Amino acid sequence: MSDLNDVLVAQIAANGPLTVHDYMERSNTAYYAARDPLGAAGDFTTAPEISQIFGELVGAWIADLWQRVGAPARFRLIELGPGRGTLMADALRASRHVPGFQDAALVTFVETSPVLRAAQAGIVPGADHARSLADIPDDMPLIVIANEFFDALPVRQYGRGAGGWRELTVAAKDGRLAREPAPEHVREACPAGEAIAAMAGARILRQGGAMLVIDYGYSGGEAGDTLQAVKAHRKIDPFASPGTADLTAHVDFQALVNAAGTDVRAYGPVTQAAFLSALGIGVRAEALMRRADDAGRKIIASAVHRLTAPDQMGALFKVMALVHPEWPPPAGFAV
Ligand code: SAH
């Protein structure tokens, strides 16, 4: 059991139950502040950590959109929750031959974790850091990238019981935390995610821009209880050890679209497999394989499989773009 467990047990004894939302926020804040959670030795692995191809294709997506909107001389290239900064490093390397692109892009990372900020500064030396989108000046076009960011934001959970809907909370018993009442029919809402989508939408409309969201999730309808905890690549009880496991909830893409407002144009969500194939993952993998030895070819093939196979990340992960109505349609969403 964790130190934060004991802090929360004491707090609940003094003040009564915490909402699931506040529990998730406290747990993830402590979790991300203290560690680099990514990779084989960590708790989970993300698409950019699986293969450089992922960030390269996102880089091509950004540069293509920037060129087709007339190559603005300056724009803010913002990444929300960049982890180790791998996606951005691969994206910038892949787009270095696009004339004027690197000079135009002012890279800002939105990151709260000091550990991850240090990793990001090492791999993308010129980047600025901000604690939130609100802290970044709203003074020029922006392209925002968010891979596995929105799923880390705290959700409110509502459960239906005899008395109607009520917000689910976390209680303490014998020094252990558990959700109450036991959830049946659960609905979720992510106010922090919606607030970010609303701000991004307003900025996109004012200055021109786009936001690319890649995450696991659904689009409207009901997904039920999607709160989960992952530690050392295994699912564990989300209430067992706060601050030591990655807590996530599936992203409701339709809720983000609604929050961004009806004037912003939404593309997708499409599956990650469809998006990456439309951007040419097959061609890119073949090019890398031609330069690799047998072992290297196996690694590339296995990475492409993990990113695109329907029983891996290909179908659960979705990609959506929110774009200024006068900007061209972004790549990757053709039907
Ligand atoms: N995008 C990266 C990392 C995903 S992990 C990748 O694909 O590898 C989630 C990231 O979001 C981490 O960088 C974490 O520190 C950051 N994060 C989580 N909650 C946050 C918050 N409330 N504000 C800013 N960053 C946050």
Side-chain angles (χ1 to χ4, degrees):
M1 235 161 286
S2 60
D3 293 347
L4 183 58
N5 181 82
D6 299 344
V7 170
L8 295 179
V9 166
Q11 189 187 318
I12 289 168
N15 305 327
L18 273 177
T19 60
V20 166
H21 174 274
D22 291 358
Y23 171 81
M24 186 174 175
E25 184 169 53
R26 294 282 293 274
S27 179
N28 269 354
T29 301
Y31 176 74
Y32 281 109
R35 62 175 63 66
D36 172 354
L38 294 157
D43 292 320
F44 61 98
T45 301
T46 56
E49 301 298 333
I50 290 171
S51 170
Q52 67 182 72
I53 299 178
F54 188 82
E56 290 170 352
L57 294 177
V58 172
W61 183 92
I62 299 166
D64 167 70
L65 186 59
W66 172 80
Q67 276 187 317
R68 284 190 295 122
V69 78
R74 299 299 252 171
F75 77 102
R76 292 197 182 273
L77 177 51
I78 298 167
E79 186 176 359
L80 309 178
R84 292 178 173 167
T86 308
L87 187 160
M88 188 62 79
D90 291 338
L92 292 173
R93 191 186 59 255
S95 56
R96 71 190 182 284
H97 297 307
V98 177
F101 178 79
Q102 301 240 330
D103 292 334
L106 296 172
V107 177
T108 305
F109 290 138
V110 173
E111 176 63 68
T112 45
S113 160
V115 178
L116 293 175
R117 277 185 175 213
Q120 294 151 17
I123 194 170
V124 186
D128 285 333
H129 273 104
R131 291 192 61 80
S132 74
L133 185 57
D135 293 340
I136 302 173
D138 182 18
D139 53 355
M140 58 180 81
L142 73 165
I143 297 180
V144 183
I145 307 296
N147 183 61
E148 286 206 50
F149 168 74
F150 282 94
D151 66 68
L153 301 176
V155 289
R156 295 199 177 281
Q157 287 196 322
Y158 303 91
R160 193 165 63 196
W165 291 94
R166 58 163 274 199
E167 185 165 4
L168 299 179
T169 55
V170 179
K173 197 175 170 213
D174 303 330
R176 290 173 176 274
L177 300 170
R179 183 167 39 191
E180 64 163 29
E184 274 168 40
H185 220 96
V186 173
R187 283 188 188 172
E188 295 178 342
C190 184
E194 290 174 24
I196 291 167
M199 178 172 294
R203 290 181 173 213
I204 286 168
L205 286 179
R206 257 195 313 269
Q207 307 283 353
M211 175 157 81
L212 185 71
V213 180
I214 307 160
D215 225 312
Y216 42 101
Y218 56 102
S219 199
E222 284 187 40
D225 172 20
T226 75
L227 181 65
Q228 65 173 45
V230 170
K231 187 172 185 168
H233 303 270
R234 283 164 195 271
K235 285 189 187 175
I236 63 163
D237 171 6
F239 305 99
S241 191
T244 72
D246 180 44
L247 295 190
T248 62
H250 287 206
V251 173
D252 181 351
F253 286 95
Q254 188 58 48
L256 299 183
V257 171
N258 295 347
T262 47
D263 292 339
V264 178
R265 196 156 291 161
Y267 295 87
V270 298
T271 64
Q272 177 166 297
F275 182 74
L276 295 178
S277 334
L279 295 184
I281 191 171
V283 176
R284 181 69 189 130
E286 273 171 31
L288 287 174
M289 282 186 187
R290 274 197 294 276
R291 285 187 263 143
D293 59 11
D294 273 357
R297 275 191 282 278
K298 275 197 185 124
I299 292 171
I300 296 163
S302 137
V304 170
H305 180 76
R306 279 182 76 182
L307 293 175
T308 58
D311 62 340
Q312 302 281 312
M313 298 175 78
L316 178 60
F317 279 75
K318 313 279 193 308
V319 185
M320 177 184 81
L322 299 170
V323 185
H324 188 282
E326 283 152 29
W327 277 35
F333 296 93
V335 274

